[in-house]
Amino acid sequence: MLCLLSSCTITGFTDDYKKLYPEQQRSIVPLESFAHSDPQHIYKINGVQLREELKKHPKSMVYIFTNGCPSKYCLPMSSYEKYARENGYRLFLVMSGYGNLKETTKQRSEVFTAPLYAMDSDYYGSKIRMTYNKHFENDLLGQPHKTKNEWQGNLYFFERDQWVKTTLELPVLP
C-alpha cells in the first residue's frame, strides 16, 4: 500500500513547478515586457504587473484557468481568443499553476497565438495555490490581500484597469 501511495502524483495543491520536466521548466520565464512575448514561453506574472498593463487597453479580458480543466465552463483556448478578437478585448490567459501543462501547450496552433502567462507564486511567497491565487486576484482587482474573494468566476472583464465584471462563461452578446 505504501509503495502504491508513493507513486501517486497529486496536482493542484501547489504551483506544481517541481513536477514539470526540465524542458517544460525552461519554457517558463519571468515577464520582462508584455510587448515582447512569444508562443514558445510562459511568462510568470503577478497581479500588480497585469493591472498596470490593463491600463493600456480600452477593454481587456483576463481568463484565469487550470490546465486540463475538467469543468463544463472550460473551453479550448482558441474559443477565448476568438471571443476577445471579435469583441475588441485584449486577452490575457493566466494559468493558476503548472500541473497538466501539456494539456494547454498542445492547444498551440496557428489559430491559438495569445501569449500564456502563469501566476508567479514566488512573488507572493507561497507555493500553495489557494494562497497565491487569492493574492493574485486581489492585486488584479486592486484590493488588499486580506480581502475575501466573493466574486463567482474566473473570467474577468476590465475597462482599462477598472474591473467591470467576473463570469464563469463567455457572455453572449447581442
Side-chain angles (χ1 to χ4, degrees):
M1 183 67 157
L2 183 60
C3 185
L4 179 63
L5 287 176
S6 67
S7 67
C8 291
T9 300
I10 298 171
T11 60
F13 181 70
T14 67
D15 70 358
D16 295 325
Y17 180 81
K18 291 184 177 180
K19 296 173 185 156
L20 296 176
Y21 294 112
E23 65 271 10
Q24 290 174 311
Q25 289 180 348
R26 285 190 295 276
S27 73
I28 299 164
V29 297
L31 177 72
E32 292 181 15
S33 166
F34 282 94
H36 302 293
S37 57
D38 65 66
Q40 303 304 314
H41 291 96
I42 296 162
Y43 298 93
K44 290 173 36 171
I45 61 171
N46 60 64
V48 174
Q49 287 174 301
L50 183 51
R51 188 172 172 81
E52 280 299 310
E53 180 65 17
L54 294 175
K55 291 179 182 179
K56 301 175 185 175
H57 307 283
K59 291 177 15 176
S60 298
M61 187 170 89
V62 177
Y63 177 48
I64 297 176
F65 65 96
T66 301
N67 298 311
C69 172
S71 168
K72 68 177 183 171
Y73 298 110
C74 303
L75 301 173
M77 295 293 136
S78 59
S79 299
Y80 298 98
E81 191 166 11
K82 181 179 180 203
Y83 181 90
R85 188 174 30 251
E86 289 176 354
N87 295 286
Y89 287 98
R90 172 69 156 90
L91 176 62
F92 297 92
L93 299 169
V94 182
M95 293 178 229
S96 59
Y98 302 110
N100 298 314
L101 180 61
K102 188 174 182 178
E103 294 301 312
T104 297
T105 57
K106 75 179 182 183
Q107 293 182 48
R108 285 283 189 206
S109 69
E110 293 172 9
V111 177
F112 171 36
T113 58
L116 289 173
Y117 303 98
M119 291 180 187
D120 186 351
S121 60
D122 295 328
Y123 176 84
Y124 295 107
S126 176
K127 296 292 185 190
I128 306 301
R129 185 176 301 198
M130 194 165 57
T131 300
Y132 70 77
N133 193 66
K134 181 180 114 178
H135 294 320
F136 180 94
E137 289 175 339
N138 283 327
D139 281 349
L140 179 63
L141 300 177
Q143 300 180 10
H145 282 196
K146 294 183 181 192
T147 302
K148 182 180 178 204
N149 303 353
E150 296 180 3
W151 49 88
Q152 291 289 321
N154 57 346
L155 192 55
Y156 298 81
F157 292 86
F158 293 86
E159 290 178 3
R160 301 278 175 206
D161 64 338
Q162 297 301 305
W163 175 42
V164 175
K165 66 180 175 180
T166 302
T167 66
L168 279 169
E169 300 179 83
L170 287 171
V172 177
L173 298 175

